[in-house]
Every structure is written in structure tokens, then in C-alpha cells.
Amino acid sequence: VGALAGLIIAKTQASAMARSDEVLEVNRSELRESLQNIVRDLGEIVGDGSAKGAVLRDRIDLKLRDDLRRFADARSSMVHLFGLQAYADIMSSFAAGERYINRVWSASADGYDEEAETYLGKAVQQFVDAQQQLQQATQGTR
């Protein structure tokens, strides 16, 4: 009984902390900045057009992985900031973009540069869409 009570108290405190104004504002910035960086860096990778094979994989790992992780770490605040529907819409596009990036990486590793290029373009579209939805949600809450 004591362990169960401790677990409930810990969960309640963690939930309250996740909804604190300070955490929400930090995460709002993390969401915006990380998505902005992803869109910018993907644009550079696509615009260059010369990245293939190991070079493309290295650029994905170097330029995108940290911001993908930052966004994912802050995503739980979206429900509190913008509501469940905005969260679902943004995360749907973000998750699709992330899957495409993983597909680009795998296709590149297997030597399918044309497929990697195709899915790189699709990833850009998904992340731009997620960014636009995040901007709309942010404007709707101010």
C-alpha cells in the first residue's frame, strides 16, 4: 500500500511539474526552435543535392538528430499548450517526416540514392507542414 501511495504521489508531482508555466514556456521554445532548425537543415541538404551515400547519412546524423530528439522530448507539452487536436495534427506530420528521414538514411545505406532523394523531399514537406501547424497553434493560444 505504501509503495502504491508513493507511486501515485510521484506521478502526481511529475504531472504537475510538466504543466508548470516555466516548463511549458521552455518546451514551447524547444518545439519552435527545433522544428525551425530541422526545416532549415533539411532545406540545405536538399538544396545542395550532392549529398549521397555516407555523406548524406553523416549530414542527417550531424544536422538533424539532436533537433529531432529535442522536439520529441518537448512534445508532451503540446497537449497542455495547444490542445489534443493540435498535438495530434502536429505529431502526425512530424512522425511522418521522421519516418521519411529514417527511410532516407536506410535507402542511402543500401545504395538506393534515387529513393533517398525522393523521400528526402517528402520529409521536407512533412516537417514544413508540422511547422505551419505549430505556428497556427501558437497564434491560436496567444
Side-chain angles (χ1 to χ4, degrees):
V1 172
L4 183 58
L7 180 63
I8 292 171
I9 290 170
K11 286 275 196 186
T12 303
Q13 287 176 338
S15 178
M17 199 167 131
R19 289 180 285 176
S20 75
D21 290 340
E22 186 176 311
V23 170
L24 291 176
E25 281 310 308
V26 167
N27 284 347
R28 181 192 305 259
S29 293
E30 287 289 302
L31 293 166
R32 187 184 70 250
E33 290 172 15
S34 60
L35 201 48
Q36 188 175 33
N37 291 345
I38 292 165
V39 169
R40 181 200 62 221
D41 292 340
L42 269 175
E44 289 174 6
I45 292 170
V46 170
D48 181 13
S50 64
K52 302 207 183 324
V55 173
L56 177 59
R57 292 189 305 277
D58 289 346
R59 287 186 73 186
I60 287 171
D61 290 340
L62 180 67
K63 291 286 201 171
L64 301 176
R65 294 296 176 202
D66 286 341
D67 285 310
L68 290 169
R69 186 175 26 263
R70 282 177 57 207
F71 187 92
D73 289 346
R75 74 181 181 264
S76 61
S77 290
M78 277 194 286
V79 173
H80 305 296
L81 289 166
F82 313 123
L84 191 56
Q85 186 61 53
Y87 170 83
D89 294 342
I90 295 165
M91 284 308 299
S92 178
S93 294
F94 179 86
E98 191 173 32
R99 282 191 304 276
Y100 289 150
I101 289 297
N102 291 333
R103 187 165 182 171
V104 167
W105 200 98
S106 295
S108 174
D110 293 339
Y112 298 110
D113 292 328
E114 203 170 293
E115 181 181 344
E117 187 176 334
T118 297
Y119 279 91
L120 199 54
K122 290 182 179 197
V124 170
Q125 292 172 343
Q126 292 299 317
F127 285 115
V128 166
D129 186 52
Q131 185 181 37
Q132 290 171 345
Q133 290 181 54
L134 181 63
Q135 288 171 346
Q136 290 173 351
T138 301
Q139 290 171 352
T141 59
R142 289 189 177 209

